Amino acid sequence: MKIFTTKNEIAQYFTSKQGKIVGFVPTMGALHQGHISLIKQAQQNSDEVVCSIFVNPTQFNDPKDLEKYPRPIAADIAMLEQSGCDVLFNPTVSEIYDDNEKWHLDIGDLEHLLEGKFRPGHYQGVTQVVSKLFNIVKPDLAFFGQKDYQQFLVVSKMVDLLHMPVQMIMCPIQREIDGLAMSSRNIHLTPYDREHALILSKTLNWVKTNFDAGNIPAIKQQAESMISNEPGIELEYFEIVDGKTLHIAVADTQNIVALVAARAGKTRLIDNMLIGG
């Protein structure tokens, strides 16, 4: 696997790769099998697979969260090599950002719903860094996990607005055997927190199994109470929405998605499930 830390190195490398389909998996590191599943998907659809590891400061609302974000780079490199990834782009902050850089992209109300409401400014940081990475790597295909469902919609909107020649591909959530959605943040869970965090996937499964388009408010209420009554879990939101707009689903909505965010102890977790229509 080739490892590059500067824009110039990666640009030079791809000059000699003209005509190859480049698949790109942008990450913040602390890789797990969910990320590796994205690499595998990219390998099936691309000639050359690039993974980036960059903990992006502009998408963190809380400096402490940024500080404690895990950065096990040696283990990440080993995982990528084992998975057969072709290129790792691992830049420094100064390589990606100039001092006092300004950025604002009007992505409409996607920015202010759900995650956007609880993490104001977060999606401006996401679009800022992903637009830079797309311009550096120049991928044909970009692979994102369904777990960050809203992020996928936001980046897709950015690609449309900026007319970027990138095809967005959403890959299914990878789960632990007990149902917990894989996340880099899971390492912060105590055994107690982890056990109780299972209520998120259990509730999503319950909603999918018991879904009744004519009774969405009651199902949402039941889901909220299942999570709120779980010891050690603090619910931020549980919403049943239109999968394209994230507006509240109604009886005739197609592509319904249920999304949840909650804190298990001190660790904030998100999860979702495609319900159908």
Side-chain angles (χ1 to χ4, degrees), residues 57-97:
T58 67
Q59 70 190 67
F60 284 84
N61 312 74
D62 180 354
K64 285 184 188 155
D65 200 17
L66 172 61
E67 198 179 302
K68 74 175 187 186
Y69 199 85
R71 295 170 172 83
I73 190 65
D76 287 349
I77 289 171
M79 278 183 88
L80 288 173
E81 285 178 335
Q82 203 173 1
S83 73
C85 184
D86 300 298
V87 175
L88 167 61
F89 182 46
N90 182 213
T92 60
V93 172
S94 59
E95 184 66 20
I96 295 295
Y97 291 112

Side-chain angles (χ1 to χ4, degrees), residues 112-118 149-150 200 203-204 207-208 211 216-217 219-225 227 235-243 245-250 253 255-262 268 270-275:
H112 305 294
L113 299 165
L114 304 175
E115 286 300 287
K117 187 175 170 185
F118 279 87
Y149 188 89
Q150 187 171 0
L200 302 188
T203 302
L204 288 166
V207 168
K208 188 175 175 73
F211 190 72
I216 292 173
I219 288 174
K220 169 179 151 69
Q221 196 175 5
Q222 177 64 25
E224 287 173 335
S225 93
I227 294 168
L235 178 65
E236 286 190 354
Y237 64 77
F238 189 100
E239 298 292 351
I240 299 172
V241 300
D242 180 315
T245 64
L246 300 187
H247 292 157
I248 301 302
V250 292
T253 303
N255 303 315
I256 292 175
V257 185
L259 300 107
V260 61
R268 188 174 187 275
I270 61 172
D271 200 352
N272 66 76
M273 195 161 282
L274 309 179
I275 304 296

Side-chain angles (χ1 to χ4, degrees), residues 122-139:
H122 172 70
Y123 286 123
Q124 288 300 325
V126 169
T127 52
Q128 183 178 23
V129 77
V130 176
S131 70
K132 284 172 174 287
L133 291 169
F134 281 0
N135 285 326
I136 293 164
V137 176
K138 297 183 170 54

Side-chain angles (χ1 to χ4, degrees), residues 7-57:
K7 295 179 277 198
N8 288 345
E9 288 171 329
I10 201 161
Q12 210 169 353
Y13 175 76
F14 278 111
T15 311
S16 63
K17 298 278 178 179
Q18 298 295 341
K20 290 205 166 181
I21 295 169
V22 175
F24 182 38
V25 179
T27 81
M28 294 210 301
L31 303 181
H32 50 69
Q33 288 308 312
H35 294 109
I36 300 307
S37 74
L38 302 182
I39 300 285
K40 296 292 182 199
Q41 182 90 43
Q43 286 168 332
Q44 288 170 26
N45 294 274
S46 323
D47 300 317
E48 194 89 6
V49 177
V50 183
C51 177
S52 65
I53 293 178
F54 179 66
V55 181
N56 175 38

Side-chain angles (χ1 to χ4, degrees), residues 86-265:
D86 300 298
V87 175
L88 167 61
F89 182 46
N90 182 213
T92 60
V93 172
S94 59
E95 184 66 20
I96 295 295
Y97 291 112
D98 298 323
D99 290 341
N100 303 317
E101 218 173 289
K102 295 281 186 282
W103 168 270
H104 186 267
L105 184 69
D106 184 359
I107 49 177
D109 55 6
L110 271 182
E111 181 179 354
H112 305 294
L113 299 165
L114 304 175
E115 286 300 287
K117 187 175 170 185
F118 279 87
R119 305 175 71 187
H122 172 70
Y123 286 123
Q124 288 300 325
V126 169
T127 52
Q128 183 178 23
V129 77
V130 176
S131 70
K132 284 172 174 287
L133 291 169
F134 281 0
N135 285 326
I136 293 164
V137 176
K138 297 183 170 54
D140 300 288
L141 311 170
F143 298 82
F144 286 79
Q146 180 197 320
K147 191 174 80 71
D148 291 291
Y149 188 89
Q150 187 171 0
Q151 174 177 272
F152 182 85
L153 293 186
V154 164
V155 176
S156 299
K157 180 88 182 271
M158 177 199 80
V159 164
D160 288 345
L161 289 170
L162 301 180
H163 307 293
M164 292 181 140
V166 182
Q167 184 185 340
M168 294 283 292
I169 296 172
M170 183 164 72
C171 306
I173 296 175
Q174 300 298 304
R175 298 185 180 277
E176 305 290 354
I177 292 166
D178 57 12
L180 185 71
M182 290 184 180
S183 166
S184 303
R185 295 172 189 267
N186 290 352
I187 61 165
H188 296 308
L189 294 169
T190 65
Y192 177 88
D193 294 337
R194 196 190 179 296
E195 182 188 338
H196 291 288
L198 297 178
I199 192 63
L200 302 188
S201 58
K202 283 177 185 166
T203 302
L204 288 166
N205 277 312
W206 179 88
V207 168
K208 188 175 175 73
T209 304
N210 295 279
F211 190 72
D212 170 6
N215 213 6
I216 292 173
I219 288 174
K220 169 179 151 69
Q221 196 175 5
Q222 177 64 25
E224 287 173 335
S225 93
M226 286 166 74
I227 294 168
S228 299
N229 290 333
E230 185 73 18
I233 301 295
E234 184 189 337
L235 178 65
E236 286 190 354
Y237 64 77
F238 189 100
E239 298 292 351
I240 299 172
V241 300
D242 180 315
K244 290 189 176 149
T245 64
L246 300 187
H247 292 157
I248 301 302
V250 292
D252 60 352
T253 303
Q254 302 299 308
N255 303 315
I256 292 175
V257 185
L259 300 107
V260 61
R263 288 186 183 274

